């Protein structure tokens, strides 16, 4: 990866992190010139970063208006969850391959990190690690195409959860992750698939689509500490 590509990846990671940590609210404007100043970059690179993030639906590009942090609608949120159900529930019912000992170890490591995040009441880490558990599960049981599709859906779901999650709730239960792992190790795919269906339904049930959207944020105040 060249220096230009590394710089763009760093900027994209900083923007994505700010969104998923609820520092950049949905609907916040992302002016190219201001971003270029904040990250000590140029508008051409910023434009490529915003285009990249738009492909992951983290950023929305509006002709004549510019770039904004995406604000997924309730229907979009339901569509993303429905798509995840189609993939994840079906894959667990008929996995491409059995879960290896190495794969189980990777999942246990994520679960241990989830336990630490829950103990610390770190909601942002919990959302991130939940996504990593599901993505690793797809990687271990599926194929590269499914991983790519699911990776985008999980990223979009993370934004949806940060926007719509009910207060004082946890959308993705780590206890379900433990039970899913045990069922897969026992090769009980029918029950694992049923549990995944209930698990994803539980995520949807903890979303409040009537919540008022967060107010937009002042870009420089949020991103200045992240530029380095």
């Amino acid at each position: 990866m060249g220096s230009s590509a590394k710089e763009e990846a760093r900027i994209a990671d900083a923007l994505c992190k700010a969104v998923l940590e609820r520092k950049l609210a949905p609907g916040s404007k992302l002016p190219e010139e201001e971003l270029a100043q904040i990250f000590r970059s140029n508008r051409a690179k910023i434009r490529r970063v915003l285009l990249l993030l738009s492909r992951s639906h983290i950023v929305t590009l509006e002709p004549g208006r510019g770039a904004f942090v995406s604000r997924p609608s309730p229907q979009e949120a339901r569509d993303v969850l429905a798509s995840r159900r189609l993939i994840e529930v079906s894959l667990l019912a008929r996995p491409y391959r059995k879960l290896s000992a190495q794969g189980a170890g990777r999942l246990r490591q994520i679960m241990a990190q989830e336990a630490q995040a829950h103990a610390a009441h770190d909601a942002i880490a919990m959302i991130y690690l939940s996504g990593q558990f599901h993505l690793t599960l797809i990687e271990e049981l599926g194929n590269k195409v499914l991983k790519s599709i699911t990776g985008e859906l999980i990223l979009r779901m993370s934004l949806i959860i940060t926007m719509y999650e009910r207060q004082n709730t946890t959308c993705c239960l780590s206890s379900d992750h433990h039970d899913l792992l045990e069922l897969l190790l026992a090769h009980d795919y029918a029950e694992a698939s049923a549990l995944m269906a209930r698990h994803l339904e539980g995520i949807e049930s903890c979303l409040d689509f009537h919540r008022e959207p967060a107010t937009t944020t002042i870009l420089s105040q949020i991103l200045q500490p992240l530029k380095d």
Side-chain angles (χ1 to χ4, degrees):
M1 183 183 291
S3 59
S4 181
K6 287 181 180 178
E7 180 183 349
E8 290 170 18
R10 177 180 62 83
I11 296 170
D13 287 345
L15 284 171
C16 199
K17 180 179 179 182
V19 170
L20 298 182
E21 289 184 349
R22 298 175 177 155
K23 294 177 180 177
L24 274 176
S28 296
K29 188 170 176 57
L30 301 169
E32 291 178 7
E33 185 172 355
E34 188 173 357
L35 287 171
Q37 292 174 353
I38 289 170
F39 289 106
R40 294 194 286 271
S41 185
N42 60 62
R43 292 184 66 171
K45 291 178 181 178
I46 295 298
R47 194 173 296 119
R48 286 195 291 269
V49 168
L50 295 174
L51 179 60
L52 174 66
L53 293 178
S54 73
R55 291 171 180 161
S56 300
H57 301 273
I58 295 297
V59 166
T60 298
L61 303 178
E62 298 186 13
R65 297 192 64 222
F68 299 82
V69 177
S70 293
R71 183 178 286 178
S73 67
Q75 185 57 55
E76 182 181 344
R78 294 187 180 99
D79 289 346
V80 169
L81 271 163
S83 299
R84 284 190 61 180
R85 280 195 293 269
L86 283 172
I87 294 173
E88 297 185 58
V89 174
S90 299
L91 180 61
L92 263 65
R94 298 183 64 181
Y96 279 71
R97 54 182 175 269
K98 294 179 180 178
L99 183 64
S100 66
Q102 182 181 6
R106 291 178 66 197
L107 291 169
R108 287 195 179 97
Q109 185 175 22
I110 294 171
M111 288 162 50
Q113 293 173 320
E114 283 187 295
Q116 292 175 354
H118 277 268
H121 305 288
D122 188 341
I124 301 304
M126 284 188 273
I127 293 173
Y128 171 77
L129 290 166
S130 169
Q132 289 302 298
F133 179 91
H134 284 260
L135 190 59
T136 301
L137 199 60
I138 295 296
E139 184 178 7
E140 292 294 333
L141 301 178
N143 58 39
K144 290 182 179 179
V145 174
L146 285 175
K147 180 188 175 184
S148 176
I149 295 171
T150 309
E152 178 183 318
L153 291 172
I154 286 172
L155 185 58
R156 294 174 70 177
M157 196 67 236
S158 297
L159 175 58
I160 288 164
I161 290 173
T162 63
M163 185 171 170
Y164 290 114
E165 187 176 32
R166 297 179 191 275
Q167 292 184 348
N168 302 318
T169 62
T170 301
C171 277
C172 198
L173 297 177
S174 56
S175 58
D176 283 352
H177 291 174
H178 174 272
D179 293 342
L180 281 168
L181 177 57
E182 293 304 313
L183 289 168
L184 290 171
L185 290 172
H187 304 157
D188 191 347
Y189 301 120
E191 185 55 37
S193 177
L195 176 56
M196 179 62 81
R198 295 193 300 271
H199 181 69
L200 293 175
E201 288 168 2
I203 291 177
E204 184 167 0
S205 71
C206 81
L207 301 177
D208 180 5
F209 295 123
H210 299 291
R211 282 187 63 183
E212 289 294 323
T215 57
T216 58
T217 39
I218 300 172
L219 199 62
S220 59
Q221 293 179 0
I222 300 301
L223 292 178
Q224 199 71 24
L226 299 177
K227 67 181 182 182
D228 299 322

